Amino acid sequence: MSTPAILAENINTHYGRSHILRGVSFRVAPGETVSLLGRNGMGKTTLLRTLAGLVRPSSGSIQLNGAEVTNSRASSRSRAGLAIVPEGRGIFPNLTVEENLTFASRANNKGERPWPLERIYSLFPRLAERKHHWGNELSGGEQQMLSIGRALMTSPSIFLLDEATEGLAPKLRDEIWATVKQITQSGIAAIIVDKNLNDLLALADRNMIMAKGEIMFEGTSAALRADEALIHRHLGV
Amino acid sequence: MDLVFIQLLNGVQYGLLIFLAASGLTLIFGIMGVINLSHGSFYMLGAYGALTLTAFTGDIFLALLIGVPLAFVFGIVIEWLFIRHLYDRDHLQQVLLTFALILIFNEAQKLLWGSYPHSVPIPSYLQGGVKISALLTYPYYRIAVAAFCVALALLMVFVIQKTRVGRIIRAGESNREMVEALGIDSRLLFRFVFAAGVALAATAGIVAAPLESVYPGIGEPILIISFVVVVIGGIGSVKGAFIGAILIGVADALGKVYFPAFSSSVVYALMAAVLIARPGGLFGRAA
Ligand SMILES: Nc1ncnc2c1ncn2[C@@H]1O[C@H](COP(=O)(O)OP(=O)(O)OP(=O)(O)O)[C@@H](O)[C@H]1O
Ligand SMILES: [Mg+2]
């Protein structure tokens, strides 16, 4: 078996005294697309933030592309090829669109830049039109495009996307999903969180359901679709 | 009338000096989230440094040339020794530690330079002044200080608007976590910002030294007025610090002319007025 892009072993994360992640273990293969599902407040965001190094786990270990990163900073994980599009998008309001995009532009460890600025602009022509606007002058959809584009410009091998299409109109959602598909097909390992079950199942190689800080289910989209009781219990549809 | 004009000039020039101290304070607060009570001490150390370095080199501008890099390095050391332990702590602990630094710096100042006031000479080529009327002249040195501060302010605008370091600083003002998540080690950013803030405060202290005598506690009024400027301008805003500092400088100077009895409260009245109209400060994010 090749080295996993992400290997998480028995992660426990606390916020103050509340125990949020409870012994989470999983792996994501290079290039694999994994969806992360679960009702509100079950710990999806906390898991992504723990992987990115924005929250310290109280125990457990995390490896990215075979390297132990449990105790390393978010910045060094980013430079090692992990990119996160956070809940709330994290746009810098006082930087222009183009300054946001190029903020952390860098080559990967092979010296390649698979997502140069022109490619981002052709993925999202609206960003090109607005490149001189301030970050806080964008609509929600444009902010999501910007956050995705900015993450891609770091040339990541691992891509964490929280609330991919939350709050977006259906047409914009389709646009985001089309781009996410290009990203996942480019060989980047991805964990994607969203509320739209069908869109995610169509995209993902594998799915994980979180409930109360634990992974309750891991399996293919076909297996998940077949288990209506599971869907009903954990996803409320 | 001449007196008012001179006071106005003095006010602007004082405001420009305050800006140097306040811009560092606002960045340290805005980006690092640290309330740095010891900021005035760096102004004080700048002024005493000017005393020693001018005695040594014979010229305040040579003192500046040597003193500013020294202050930057000193800032790095202080950040490494003390300030970096404050980032994850609450404001009370920040206030306690940086207050302790004031006491330490004051003791060090007494040991090194004693308790008597000293004066620092104005260079011979800047003696005298511009004649404004038959009776009044405006000193060349004050004009030079004002021009220097304006040049430095323009340099700061350029760095903040046009350079990569400036982009990182602006991004850090709005979302520190995202800066880190995008691969920039915020420890280095914080160390740089703190050291730059120390260097700016020391710069103000150095160029101000020949304007007034250098005495123990010289940094304390600067600290207080800088906090007023930061609050007026909006936390984290260098532009706000500039406008706020000029406003405060002018209000202070005119207050001395028109309301001599309450001159020291004029700046606080101004602060209160700004806060009532705009609780986040002139250029602050809505509080
Ligand atoms: N900063 C915080 N401090 C304390 N508790 C928090 C914090 N952030 C999240 N929590 C709690 O941790 C739990 C998990 O939250 P998390 O945001 O990871 O859930 P989620 O699955 O992403 O939910 P959603 O679908 O609503 O985004 C929730 O109970 C939440 O209230
Ligand atoms: Mg969430």
Side-chain angles (χ1 to χ4, degrees):
Chain A
M1 206 172 169
S2 67
T3 315
I6 304 175
L7 177 62
E9 280 179 335
N10 202 20
I11 297 177
N12 288 281
T13 299
H14 290 76
Y15 282 127
R17 284 203 192 156
S18 15
H19 192 172
I20 309 293
L21 299 184
R22 297 165 176 267
V24 173
S25 301
F26 66 93
R27 56 175 68 205
V28 177
E32 193 183 17
T33 306
V34 175
S35 82
L36 183 58
L37 299 156
R39 289 182 192 265
N40 286 352
M42 291 304 174
K44 305 179 295 295
T45 297
T46 307
L47 177 56
L48 295 193
R49 290 172 57 79
T50 307
L51 293 174
L54 298 173
V55 181
R56 281 289 150 98
S58 29
S59 65
S61 91
I62 301 168
Q63 291 183 19
L64 301 179
N65 299 320
E68 172 68 42
V69 300
T70 316
N71 293 313
S72 66
R73 300 176 65 83
S75 52
S76 79
R77 296 185 205 192
S78 164
R79 290 194 302 272
L82 179 143
I84 182 167
V85 174
E87 218 172 39
R89 336 290 197 203
I91 298 304
F92 301 121
N94 52 348
L95 268 62
T96 65
V97 167
E98 190 151 306
E99 284 176 333
N100 266 281
L101 280 174
T102 55
F103 184 81
S105 161
R106 70 175 86 90
N108 62 20
N109 55 11
K110 295 182 212 107
E112 303 156 343
R113 292 173 187 263
W115 304 91
L117 190 59
E118 312 83 67
R119 187 167 178 199
I120 304 296
Y121 281 153
S122 68
L123 279 177
F124 300 120
R126 301 170 63 139
L127 294 184
E129 287 162 26
R130 281 163 199 251
K131 60 180 163 192
H132 298 305
H133 287 236
W134 296 109
N136 60 3
E137 295 171 347
L138 300 185
S139 70
E142 290 161 350
Q143 287 189 26
Q144 182 66 326
M145 295 172 191
L146 182 53
S147 193
I148 292 174
R150 184 178 63 183
L152 291 175
M153 286 198 69
T154 67
S155 307
S157 61
I158 299 168
F159 186 70
L160 308 179
L161 176 55
D162 204 350
E163 300 295 0
T165 65
E166 190 188 35
L168 303 187
K171 195 172 160 297
L172 273 173
R173 259 188 233 163
D174 294 344
E175 205 176 313
I176 298 285
W177 285 128
T179 313
V180 171
K181 195 163 178 184
Q182 285 196 42
I183 297 167
T184 56
Q185 286 175 349
S186 74
I188 297 178
I191 302 183
I192 301 170
V193 175
D194 199 70
K195 298 268 148 64
N196 298 289
L197 181 62
N198 287 323
D199 291 323
L200 266 185
L201 291 185
L203 196 76
D205 301 315
R206 204 152 51 85
N207 308 277
M208 303 193 294
I209 298 181
M210 285 201 90
K212 305 215 173 101
E214 293 180 44
I215 294 181
M216 304 301 291
F217 168 88
E218 264 192 84
T220 63
S221 299
L224 181 53
R225 278 200 193 93
D227 196 337
E228 278 181 35
L230 186 77
I231 291 181
H232 185 74
R233 183 152 29 101
H234 289 297
L235 309 171
V237 283
Chain B
M1 202 55 228
D2 285 346
L3 181 65
V4 173
F5 182 63
I6 295 256
Q7 275 300 83
L8 210 60
L9 286 180
N10 278 340
V12 170
Q13 182 256 307
Y14 176 59
L16 286 166
L17 266 181
I18 295 295
F19 163 72
L20 295 189
S23 58
L25 192 66
T26 204
L27 286 175
I28 289 169
F29 198 6
I31 294 176
M32 300 158 55
V34 169
I35 297 184
N36 177 26
L37 291 189
S38 62
H39 204 66
S41 299
F42 301 117
Y43 177 95
M44 183 264 294
L45 291 174
Y48 275 97
L51 177 67
T52 300
L53 288 171
T54 307
F56 181 65
T57 62
D59 187 312
I60 187 70
F61 292 108
L62 288 176
L64 188 67
L65 211 61
I66 301 169
V68 173
L70 277 181
F72 189 85
V73 172
F74 187 64
I76 288 177
V77 172
I78 295 297
E79 194 275 350
W80 184 78
L81 278 175
F82 302 107
I83 306 296
R84 70 188 168 113
H85 305 292
L86 294 173
Y87 300 141
D88 297 326
R89 302 193 184 221
D90 59 33
H91 288 326
L92 177 63
Q93 300 192 30
Q94 298 176 353
V95 164
L96 288 174
L97 188 128
T98 55
F99 186 69
L101 288 179
I102 296 183
L103 302 179
I104 293 169
F105 289 137
N106 283 350
E107 282 308 309
Q109 174 269 314
K110 283 204 195 91
L111 287 174
L112 289 170
W113 290 285
S115 302
Y116 294 105
H118 298 269
S119 65
V120 173
I122 290 172
S124 55
Y125 49 87
L126 287 178
Q127 298 285 350
V130 180
K131 231 178 164 44
I132 290 176
S133 70
L135 290 173
L136 295 167
T137 57
Y138 199 73
Y140 289 132
Y141 185 72
R142 279 184 185 270
I143 296 171
V145 166
F148 172 76
C149 292
V150 168
L152 205 52
L154 290 174
L155 179 68
M156 284 172 73
V157 169
F158 174 79
V159 169
I160 289 176
Q161 298 303 331
K162 298 291 175 201
T163 66
R164 178 173 153 75
V165 169
R167 274 200 298 281
I168 296 173
I169 286 174
R170 275 184 286 146
E173 280 166 19
S174 61
N175 195 334
R176 286 180 250 171
E177 182 176 76
M178 205 61 221
V179 170
E180 174 79 32
L182 284 164
I184 286 137
D185 190 334
S186 47
R187 287 175 304 184
L188 298 181
L189 172 64
F190 287 9
R191 193 156 298 159
F192 173 83
V193 166
F194 189 81
V198 169
L200 282 165
T203 300
I206 293 170
V207 295
L211 293 174
E212 50 179 335
S213 61
V214 177
Y215 54 91
I218 189 174
E220 271 128 54
I222 295 291
L223 172 73
I224 293 167
I225 212 78
S226 295
F227 266 110
V228 172
V229 165
V230 169
V231 168
I232 288 183
I235 289 164
S237 169
V238 171
K239 198 201 294 178
F242 186 83
I243 308 277
I246 300 293
L247 277 177
I248 288 291
V250 170
D252 179 68
L254 295 185
K256 281 182 183 137
V257 179
Y258 292 111
F259 314 102
F262 328 91
S263 67
S264 60
S265 37
V266 169
V267 296
Y268 302 103
L270 181 65
M271 175 170 85
V274 168
L275 286 186
I276 290 167
R278 292 184 64 99
L282 294 175
F283 293 91
R285 296 179 290 280

